């Protein structure tokens, strides 16, 4: 996660009409008894601390609803009332010039402080300590809000953490359930609760506020089959002031939104995919100008304007925008209709007209008879725009009876038995401890997680092992390292794999890796790709820099050498986020590799230079292409350092690659956040040293 704030809080944007304002009614979630306490204390640049343990205070954590839903008996009349919303207008934002310049406010040393840019005059006059918001005088409701009860005979049991809505349900009842889930998940960054909220085709009048480990999913064949009149949004109220740099692990997929006030808000950072959505209005990617650190949009249509606000970096793939405004360091567009022209570094837009090869993420749907299925999109080449605007996307719908539905408590042995029997896997929301790897041996196997389903490999094993076969699809999973170090968390293809999978590659969609944070996890490497032609479609590999407890992070606590190792040929990755590993973040050894967007932070907690040497070279490159590689391409790459434990530490270069005619890098940026350490060169021996003032060093091409 990036820590450098960009700018100050913006004022409120558009509001609803005067009549709507008079009719507005904001509701807090009904207070319930405190289910448990939660205490979090992180490290380095992201120290934070809050308690949920005080008694006698009935304040709830949910943001008031954006509008009052229709009363139960009146839902058929489609009566609903809007209230003012913070949202962007279509006019340019004077706070966010295309290439902003600002000075860093020096907040002094100490692990409770973050670097931040000067914004409004008040911010410059009185810099605040934003790394450790003090919420000790407040109480928050955390209630258990289980999902479906046992289904009627003949219907699918999706487990206790899946909530299914249909348009015949009273809007107010739906809103109460949504508010209860959000109340539990708003601050639950390292908790074990997981939820998938599913909307059957139809129209709804609701405010859907999306917290941690919550997936919002429409079940129609196109996004327009499910319409939310209201909002599907992410806020940053829990981490003042409007700080979205830790808004991870959530998602919205396959539905449409008619946003109140004309604009919706998706203020997130890593691992928060926004897929196959349709917004009939604008979309803002920060919360009122508060800090934010990059994310993902794909197969999505935004009728109005996308406003990046304070986002430091972002990738959009195969989408359609009315327009885009805003930039900071690294904004990448691949196959996006309505994207700005490529003008890196001023503004820092990297624009590629078509996506060379891609498969969209599989998703759960219901058919016309109400039966569940998993839609598996087809492989496509040289694409742009959305897949679904004029008809259903190309692909195949697999009946749900072809899936083993894993519910909390399912074992690795049960899941492997199902795989051996020829079943696919649908892993419902929960945390699954594994005592053996999930072994995928059959071509075209589909493994889909709902609600950020989480796999924990115990005893130092690998969580997922995929054989060198055609067409495996793995999607929607968080692999969380166990406390005994694993050699790797996931492997695609055995070492030495050589088969040609270009006609039907394996693809990984929204697959996330975490080492430390919830526990003192350890893993030498997170993901190893040995197969050829693999497609990575939004990956975040994270060695935690903050945690629920200080013992869960630290140079000797959550140890991890490398995030991604690519040994296969012709591997393509869109949206590669890799952070804080202790050696090379990415080691690319195969030929023909392509990366579209790379976001990286080097480890914060390097104790001293002697502890971080690659032979005679100071530090490790964030993105390292092996000397024997003869062909490689990469577009839109950013690497940042924040050596907060010891600012005297330096890294010799962020990117490392052989000098060869077919090895090409495009649009690179390095930054020293608050000048905590230095990156001496951008790539190899080329590029300037990062200066003071959190100023980017840009390099348009190499060689």
């Amino acid at each position: 996660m990036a820590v450098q704030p960009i700018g100050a809080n913006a004022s409120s944007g558009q509001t609803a009409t005067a009549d709507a304002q008079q009719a507005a009614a904001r509701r807090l979630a009904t207070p319930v008894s405190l289910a448990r306490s939660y205490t979090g204390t992180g490290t380095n640049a992201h120290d934070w601390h809050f308690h949920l343990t005080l008694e006698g205070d009935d304040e709830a954590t949910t943001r008031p609803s954006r509008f009052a839903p229709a009363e139960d008996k009146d839902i058929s009349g489609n009566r609903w009332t809007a209230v003012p919303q913070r949202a962007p207008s279509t006019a340019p934002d004077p706070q966010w010039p295309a290439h902003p310049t600002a000075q860093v406010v020096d907040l002094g040393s100490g692990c409770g402080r973050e670097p931040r840019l000067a914004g409004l005059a008040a911010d410059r006059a009185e810099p605040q300590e934003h790394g450790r918001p003090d919420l000790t005088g407040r109480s928050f409701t955390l209630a258990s809000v289980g999902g479906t009860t046992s289904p009627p005979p003949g219907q699918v049991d999706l487990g206790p953490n899946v909530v299914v809505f249909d348009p015949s349900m009273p809007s107010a009842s739906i809103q109460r359930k949504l508010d209860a889930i959000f109340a539990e998940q708003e601050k639950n960054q390292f908790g074990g609760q997981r939820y998938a909220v599913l909307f059957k085709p139809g129209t709804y009048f609701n405010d859907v506020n999306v917290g941690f480990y919550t997936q919002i999913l429409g079940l129609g064949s196109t996004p327009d089959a499910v319409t939310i009149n209201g909002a599907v949004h992410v806020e940053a109220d829990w981490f003042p002031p409007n700080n979205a740099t830790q808004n991870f692990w959530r998602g919205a997929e396959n539905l449409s939104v008619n946003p109140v006030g004309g604009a919706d808000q998706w203020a997130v950072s890593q691992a928060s995919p926004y897929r196959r959505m349709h917004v009939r209005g604008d979309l803002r990617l920060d919360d009122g100008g508060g800090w934010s650190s990059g994310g993902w949009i794909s197969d999505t249509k935004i009728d109005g304007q996308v406003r990046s606000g304070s986002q430091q970096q972002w990738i959009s793939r195969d989408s359609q925008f009315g327009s885009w405004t805003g930039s900071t360091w690294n904004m990448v567009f691949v196959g996006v209709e309505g994207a700005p022209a490529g003008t890196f570094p001023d503004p820092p837009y990297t624009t590629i007209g078509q996506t060379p090869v891609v498969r969209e993420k599989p998703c759960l749907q219901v058919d016309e008879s109400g039966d569940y299925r998993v839609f598996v999109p087809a492989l496509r080449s040289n694409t742009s725009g959305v897949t679904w605007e004029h008809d259903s996307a190309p692909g195949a719908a697999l009946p749900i009876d072809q899936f083993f539905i894993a519910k909390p408590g399912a074992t690795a042995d049960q899941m492997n038995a199902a795989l051996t029997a020829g079943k696919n896997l649908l892993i419902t929301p929960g945390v699954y401890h594994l005592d053996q790897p999930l072994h995928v041996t059959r071509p075209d196997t589909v493994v889909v997680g709902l609600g950020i389903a989480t796999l924990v490999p115990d005893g130092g094993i690998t969580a997922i092992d995929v054989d060198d076969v055609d067409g495996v699809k793995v999607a929607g999973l968080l692999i969380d390292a166990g406390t005994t170090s694993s050699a790797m968390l996931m492997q695609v293809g055995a070492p030495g794999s050589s088969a040609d999978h270009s006609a039907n590659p394996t693809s990984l969609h929204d697959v996330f890796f975490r080492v430390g944070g919830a526990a003192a996890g350890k893993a030498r490497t997170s993901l190893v790709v040995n197969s050829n032609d693999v497609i990575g479609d939004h990956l975040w590999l994270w060695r935690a820099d903050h945690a629920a407890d200080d013992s869960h992070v630290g140079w000797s606590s959550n140890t991890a050498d490398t995030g991604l190792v690519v040994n296969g040929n012709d591997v393509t990755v869109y949206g590669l986020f890799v952070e804080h590993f202790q050696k090379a973040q990415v080691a690319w050894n195969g030929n023909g590799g392509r990366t579209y967007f790379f976001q990286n932070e080097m480890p914060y907690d390097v104790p001293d230079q002697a502890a971080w040497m690659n032979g005679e070279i100071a530090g490790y490159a964030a993105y390292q292409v092996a000397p024997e590689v003869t062909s490689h391409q990469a577009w839109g790459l950013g690497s940042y350092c924040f050596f907060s434990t010891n600012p005297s530490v330096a890294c010799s270069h962020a990117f490392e690659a052989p000098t060869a005619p077919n090895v090409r890098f495009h649009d690179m940026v390095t930054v020293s956040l608050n000048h905590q350490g230095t990156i001496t060169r951008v790539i190899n021996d080329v590029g300037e040293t990062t200066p003071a003032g959190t100023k980017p060093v840009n390099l348009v091409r190499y060689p």
Side-chain angles (χ1 to χ4, degrees), residues 424-463:
N424 304 297
L425 293 182
L426 180 66
I427 305 176
T428 68
V431 178
Y432 299 80
H433 284 263
L434 307 178
D435 59 3
Q436 58 182 280
L438 301 184
H439 190 189
V440 179
T441 62
R442 179 177 59 86
D444 297 312
T445 298
V446 179
V447 179
V448 178
L450 296 178
I452 323 295
T454 301
L455 307 178
V456 181
D458 292 327
I461 64 170
T462 298

Tab-separated table of all heavy atoms in Angstrom, residues 424-463:
chain	number	residue	atom	x	y	z
A	424	ASN	N	-15.481	-28.732	-10.283
A	424	ASN	CA	-14.886	-27.426	-10.054
A	424	ASN	C	-15.120	-27.036	-8.604
A	424	ASN	O	-15.856	-27.720	-7.872
A	424	ASN	CB	-15.515	-26.402	-10.988
A	424	ASN	CG	-15.391	-26.796	-12.444
A	424	ASN	OD1	-14.288	-26.894	-12.969
A	424	ASN	ND2	-16.533	-27.038	-13.108
A	425	LEU	N	-14.542	-25.929	-8.168
A	425	LEU	CA	-14.712	-25.474	-6.785
A	425	LEU	C	-15.358	-24.098	-6.747
A	425	LEU	O	-14.912	-23.179	-7.461
A	425	LEU	CB	-13.373	-25.393	-6.058
A	425	LEU	CG	-12.609	-26.687	-5.767
A	425	LEU	CD1	-11.322	-26.367	-4.990
A	425	LEU	CD2	-13.466	-27.674	-4.992
A	426	LEU	N	-16.395	-23.960	-5.930
A	426	LEU	CA	-16.946	-22.660	-5.553
A	426	LEU	C	-16.736	-22.541	-4.053
A	426	LEU	O	-17.370	-23.256	-3.270
A	426	LEU	CB	-18.430	-22.569	-5.903
A	426	LEU	CG	-19.119	-21.248	-5.560
A	426	LEU	CD1	-18.564	-20.107	-6.408
A	426	LEU	CD2	-20.635	-21.354	-5.734
A	427	ILE	N	-15.827	-21.662	-3.645
A	427	ILE	CA	-15.442	-21.545	-2.240
A	427	ILE	C	-16.183	-20.355	-1.652
A	427	ILE	O	-15.934	-19.204	-2.024
A	427	ILE	CB	-13.921	-21.395	-2.088
A	427	ILE	CG1	-13.208	-22.556	-2.800
A	427	ILE	CG2	-13.530	-21.354	-0.617
A	427	ILE	CD1	-11.697	-22.459	-2.788
A	428	THR	N	-17.125	-20.614	-0.765
A	428	THR	CA	-17.960	-19.558	-0.204
A	428	THR	C	-17.199	-18.785	0.867
A	428	THR	O	-16.139	-19.223	1.337
A	428	THR	CB	-19.263	-20.141	0.360
A	428	THR	OG1	-18.972	-20.950	1.510
A	428	THR	CG2	-19.995	-20.970	-0.688
A	429	PRO	N	-17.694	-17.623	1.285
A	429	PRO	CA	-16.927	-16.767	2.192
A	429	PRO	C	-16.560	-17.464	3.494
A	429	PRO	O	-17.400	-18.100	4.148
A	429	PRO	CB	-17.882	-15.592	2.445
A	429	PRO	CG	-18.783	-15.567	1.261
A	429	PRO	CD	-18.962	-16.991	0.871
A	430	GLY	N	-15.307	-17.342	3.867
A	430	GLY	CA	-14.809	-17.935	5.094
A	430	GLY	C	-13.299	-17.989	5.061
A	430	GLY	O	-12.662	-17.599	4.076
A	431	VAL	N	-12.718	-18.468	6.164
A	431	VAL	CA	-11.274	-18.681	6.264
A	431	VAL	C	-11.048	-20.180	6.371
A	431	VAL	O	-11.559	-20.832	7.287
A	431	VAL	CB	-10.678	-17.944	7.477
A	431	VAL	CG1	-9.186	-18.222	7.592
A	431	VAL	CG2	-10.934	-16.445	7.369
A	432	TYR	N	-10.282	-20.743	5.440
A	432	TYR	CA	-10.094	-22.184	5.321
A	432	TYR	C	-8.637	-22.530	5.606
A	432	TYR	O	-7.739	-22.129	4.852
A	432	TYR	CB	-10.470	-22.654	3.915
A	432	TYR	CG	-11.911	-22.403	3.546
A	432	TYR	CD1	-12.337	-21.143	3.119
A	432	TYR	CD2	-12.865	-23.419	3.619
A	432	TYR	CE1	-13.660	-20.906	2.780
A	432	TYR	CE2	-14.197	-23.189	3.281
A	432	TYR	CZ	-14.577	-21.925	2.865
A	432	TYR	OH	-15.898	-21.687	2.529
A	433	HIS	N	-8.406	-23.252	6.668
A	433	HIS	CA	-7.057	-23.716	6.988
A	433	HIS	C	-6.808	-25.030	6.247
A	433	HIS	O	-7.608	-25.961	6.318
A	433	HIS	CB	-6.890	-23.897	8.492
A	433	HIS	CG	-6.725	-22.600	9.220
A	433	HIS	ND1	-5.499	-22.089	9.573
A	433	HIS	CD2	-7.645	-21.692	9.631
A	433	HIS	CE1	-5.660	-20.926	10.185
A	433	HIS	NE2	-6.955	-20.659	10.230
A	434	LEU	N	-5.691	-25.089	5.548
A	434	LEU	CA	-5.366	-26.231	4.710
A	434	LEU	C	-4.218	-27.023	5.312
A	434	LEU	O	-3.217	-26.438	5.742
A	434	LEU	CB	-4.970	-25.767	3.301
A	434	LEU	CG	-5.946	-24.838	2.565
A	434	LEU	CD1	-5.364	-24.457	1.208
A	434	LEU	CD2	-7.318	-25.477	2.420
A	435	ASP	N	-4.350	-28.358	5.308
A	435	ASP	CA	-3.256	-29.217	5.743
A	435	ASP	C	-2.614	-29.955	4.570
A	435	ASP	O	-1.727	-30.785	4.757
A	435	ASP	CB	-3.726	-30.210	6.809
A	435	ASP	CG	-4.862	-31.109	6.328
A	435	ASP	OD1	-5.253	-31.005	5.145
A	435	ASP	OD2	-5.371	-31.906	7.135
A	436	GLN	N	-3.079	-29.651	3.363
A	436	GLN	CA	-2.474	-30.153	2.133
A	436	GLN	C	-2.821	-29.175	1.022
A	436	GLN	O	-3.834	-28.474	1.094
A	436	GLN	CB	-2.983	-31.562	1.796
A	436	GLN	CG	-4.480	-31.643	1.629
A	436	GLN	CD	-4.970	-33.056	1.348
A	436	GLN	OE1	-4.883	-33.520	0.217
A	436	GLN	NE2	-5.482	-33.736	2.379
A	437	PRO	N	-2.005	-29.100	-0.016
A	437	PRO	CA	-2.317	-28.157	-1.094
A	437	PRO	C	-3.597	-28.561	-1.821
A	437	PRO	O	-3.887	-29.755	-1.978
A	437	PRO	CB	-1.106	-28.255	-2.026
A	437	PRO	CG	-0.021	-28.869	-1.194
A	437	PRO	CD	-0.707	-29.765	-0.222
A	438	LEU	N	-4.355	-27.568	-2.291
A	438	LEU	CA	-5.407	-27.835	-3.255
A	438	LEU	C	-4.724	-28.097	-4.587
A	438	LEU	O	-4.006	-27.237	-5.109
A	438	LEU	CB	-6.355	-26.654	-3.362
A	438	LEU	CG	-7.079	-26.237	-2.069
A	438	LEU	CD1	-8.060	-25.102	-2.350
A	438	LEU	CD2	-7.782	-27.420	-1.420
A	439	HIS	N	-4.935	-29.303	-5.140
A	439	HIS	CA	-4.171	-29.746	-6.304
A	439	HIS	C	-5.097	-29.800	-7.515
A	439	HIS	O	-6.011	-30.625	-7.572
A	439	HIS	CB	-3.555	-31.111	-6.030
A	439	HIS	CG	-2.567	-31.540	-7.070
A	439	HIS	ND1	-2.022	-32.805	-7.110
A	439	HIS	CD2	-2.008	-30.866	-8.124
A	439	HIS	CE1	-1.179	-32.890	-8.124
A	439	HIS	NE2	-1.161	-31.733	-8.756
A	440	VAL	N	-4.844	-28.925	-8.481
A	440	VAL	CA	-5.647	-28.853	-9.696
A	440	VAL	C	-4.908	-29.601	-10.797
A	440	VAL	O	-3.816	-29.193	-11.205
A	440	VAL	CB	-5.903	-27.392	-10.108
A	440	VAL	CG1	-6.723	-27.337	-11.397
A	440	VAL	CG2	-6.616	-26.640	-8.989
A	441	THR	N	-5.513	-30.686	-11.281
A	441	THR	CA	-4.863	-31.536	-12.279
A	441	THR	C	-5.597	-31.555	-13.610
A	441	THR	O	-5.009	-31.945	-14.621
A	441	THR	CB	-4.771	-32.977	-11.765
A	441	THR	OG1	-6.101	-33.484	-11.553
A	441	THR	CG2	-3.998	-33.046	-10.444
A	442	ARG	N	-6.860	-31.175	-13.636
A	442	ARG	CA	-7.709	-31.321	-14.821
A	442	ARG	C	-7.725	-30.041	-15.644
A	442	ARG	O	-7.936	-28.956	-15.097
A	442	ARG	CB	-9.133	-31.695	-14.383
A	442	ARG	CG	-10.125	-31.856	-15.522
A	442	ARG	CD	-11.486	-32.287	-15.012
A	442	ARG	NE	-12.048	-31.344	-14.068
A	442	ARG	CZ	-12.755	-30.263	-14.417
A	442	ARG	NH1	-12.963	-29.989	-15.695
A	442	ARG	NH2	-13.245	-29.469	-13.496
A	443	PRO	N	-7.549	-30.117	-16.948
A	443	PRO	CA	-7.679	-28.915	-17.783
A	443	PRO	C	-9.055	-28.279	-17.613
A	443	PRO	O	-10.052	-28.969	-17.369
A	443	PRO	CB	-7.493	-29.450	-19.211
A	443	PRO	CG	-6.749	-30.724	-19.055
A	443	PRO	CD	-7.187	-31.304	-17.746
A	444	ASP	N	-9.093	-26.959	-17.725
A	444	ASP	CA	-10.335	-26.170	-17.688
A	444	ASP	C	-11.030	-26.171	-16.330
A	444	ASP	O	-12.184	-25.744	-16.223
A	444	ASP	CB	-11.316	-26.642	-18.768
A	444	ASP	CG	-10.768	-26.444	-20.164
A	444	ASP	OD1	-10.264	-25.339	-20.445
A	444	ASP	OD2	-10.816	-27.390	-20.971
A	445	THR	N	-10.359	-26.594	-15.284
A	445	THR	CA	-10.939	-26.508	-13.937
A	445	THR	C	-11.148	-25.048	-13.557
A	445	THR	O	-10.318	-24.179	-13.844
A	445	THR	CB	-10.012	-27.187	-12.913
A	445	THR	OG1	-9.886	-28.569	-13.240
A	445	THR	CG2	-10.561	-27.049	-11.494
A	446	VAL	N	-12.273	-24.785	-12.878
A	446	VAL	CA	-12.607	-23.439	-12.417
A	446	VAL	C	-12.622	-23.449	-10.892
A	446	VAL	O	-13.322	-24.263	-10.278
A	446	VAL	CB	-13.969	-22.985	-12.966
A	446	VAL	CG1	-14.306	-21.585	-12.462
A	446	VAL	CG2	-13.977	-23.027	-14.482
A	447	VAL	N	-11.867	-22.558	-10.286
A	447	VAL	CA	-11.843	-22.383	-8.831
A	447	VAL	C	-12.204	-20.928	-8.562
A	447	VAL	O	-11.440	-20.020	-8.899
A	447	VAL	CB	-10.464	-22.722	-8.232
A	447	VAL	CG1	-10.471	-22.493	-6.723
A	447	VAL	CG2	-10.071	-24.154	-8.561
A	448	VAL	N	-13.383	-20.706	-7.965
A	448	VAL	CA	-13.886	-19.356	-7.743
A	448	VAL	C	-14.187	-19.165	-6.264
A	448	VAL	O	-14.881	-19.991	-5.652
A	448	VAL	CB	-15.164	-19.091	-8.561
A	448	VAL	CG1	-15.689	-17.685	-8.281
A	448	VAL	CG2	-14.886	-19.250	-10.047
A	449	GLY	N	-13.691	-18.086	-5.701
A	449	GLY	CA	-14.010	-17.727	-4.325
A	449	GLY	C	-15.033	-16.613	-4.288
A	449	GLY	O	-15.041	-15.719	-5.138
A	450	LEU	N	-15.902	-16.645	-3.293
A	450	LEU	CA	-16.863	-15.579	-3.033
A	450	LEU	C	-16.479	-14.858	-1.747
A	450	LEU	O	-15.965	-15.488	-0.809
A	450	LEU	CB	-18.278	-16.141	-2.890
A	450	LEU	CG	-18.915	-16.827	-4.101
A	450	LEU	CD1	-20.303	-17.358	-3.725
A	450	LEU	CD2	-19.014	-15.877	-5.280
A	451	GLY	N	-16.735	-13.566	-1.694
A	451	GLY	CA	-16.556	-12.829	-0.451
A	451	GLY	C	-15.142	-12.837	0.079
A	451	GLY	O	-14.916	-12.910	1.292
A	452	ILE	N	-14.158	-12.747	-0.801
A	452	ILE	CA	-12.730	-12.757	-0.420
A	452	ILE	C	-12.439	-14.009	0.412
A	452	ILE	O	-11.797	-13.971	1.480
A	452	ILE	CB	-12.311	-11.476	0.335
A	452	ILE	CG1	-13.024	-10.253	-0.221
A	452	ILE	CG2	-10.788	-11.280	0.253
A	452	ILE	CD1	-12.687	-9.886	-1.639
A	453	ALA	N	-12.913	-15.145	-0.059
A	453	ALA	CA	-12.619	-16.425	0.618
A	453	ALA	C	-11.108	-16.561	0.783
A	453	ALA	O	-10.334	-16.266	-0.128
A	453	ALA	CB	-13.181	-17.581	-0.196
A	454	THR	N	-10.692	-17.023	1.958
A	454	THR	CA	-9.287	-16.966	2.356
A	454	THR	C	-8.751	-18.356	2.648
A	454	THR	O	-9.368	-19.122	3.407
A	454	THR	CB	-9.133	-16.066	3.588
A	454	THR	OG1	-9.628	-14.754	3.270
A	454	THR	CG2	-7.684	-15.964	4.026
A	455	LEU	N	-7.612	-18.677	2.071
A	455	LEU	CA	-6.940	-19.956	2.278
A	455	LEU	C	-5.679	-19.731	3.099
A	455	LEU	O	-4.856	-18.868	2.755
A	455	LEU	CB	-6.567	-20.592	0.937
A	455	LEU	CG	-7.690	-20.750	-0.097
A	455	LEU	CD1	-7.127	-21.355	-1.385
A	455	LEU	CD2	-8.835	-21.590	0.444
A	456	VAL	N	-5.513	-20.499	4.170
A	456	VAL	CA	-4.335	-20.399	5.033
A	456	VAL	C	-3.605	-21.736	4.988
A	456	VAL	O	-4.105	-22.740	5.516
A	456	VAL	CB	-4.716	-20.051	6.480
A	456	VAL	CG1	-3.455	-19.921	7.344
A	456	VAL	CG2	-5.542	-18.779	6.542
A	457	PRO	N	-2.431	-21.808	4.359
A	457	PRO	CA	-1.671	-23.058	4.332
A	457	PRO	C	-0.903	-23.252	5.635
A	457	PRO	O	0.015	-22.492	5.943
A	457	PRO	CB	-0.733	-22.865	3.142
A	457	PRO	CG	-0.532	-21.387	3.057
A	457	PRO	CD	-1.800	-20.745	3.561
A	458	ASP	N	-1.287	-24.236	6.410
A	458	ASP	CA	-0.639	-24.506	7.686
A	458	ASP	C	0.545	-25.455	7.502
A	458	ASP	O	0.597	-26.244	6.556
A	458	ASP	CB	-1.648	-25.121	8.672
A	458	ASP	CG	-2.726	-24.140	9.090
A	458	ASP	OD1	-2.428	-22.926	9.171
A	458	ASP	OD2	-3.876	-24.565	9.329
A	459	GLY	N	1.500	-25.369	8.404
A	459	GLY	CA	2.614	-26.303	8.402
A	459	GLY	C	3.612	-26.102	7.285
A	459	GLY	O	4.386	-27.012	6.961
A	460	GLY	N	3.619	-24.919	6.643
A	460	GLY	CA	4.620	-24.637	5.625
A	460	GLY	C	4.324	-25.219	4.259
A	460	GLY	O	5.223	-25.304	3.412
A	461	ILE	N	3.073	-25.581	3.981
A	461	ILE	CA	2.727	-26.162	2.692
A	461	ILE	C	2.423	-25.062	1.669
A	461	ILE	O	2.388	-23.881	1.992
A	461	ILE	CB	1.519	-27.108	2.813
A	461	ILE	CG1	0.267	-26.320	3.231
A	461	ILE	CG2	1.807	-28.234	3.794
A	461	ILE	CD1	-1.015	-27.126	3.129
A	462	THR	N	2.188	-25.485	0.423
A	462	THR	CA	1.685	-24.612	-0.626
A	462	THR	C	0.164	-24.653	-0.589
A	462	THR	O	-0.428	-25.723	-0.419
A	462	THR	CB	2.197	-25.081	-1.997
A	462	THR	OG1	3.620	-24.997	-2.008
A	462	THR	CG2	1.626	-24.247	-3.125
A	463	ALA	N	-0.488	-23.509	-0.794
A	463	ALA	CA	-1.951	-23.487	-0.721
A	463	ALA	C	-2.584	-24.067	-1.979
A	463	ALA	O	-3.544	-24.855	-1.892
A	463	ALA	CB	-2.440	-22.058	-0.496
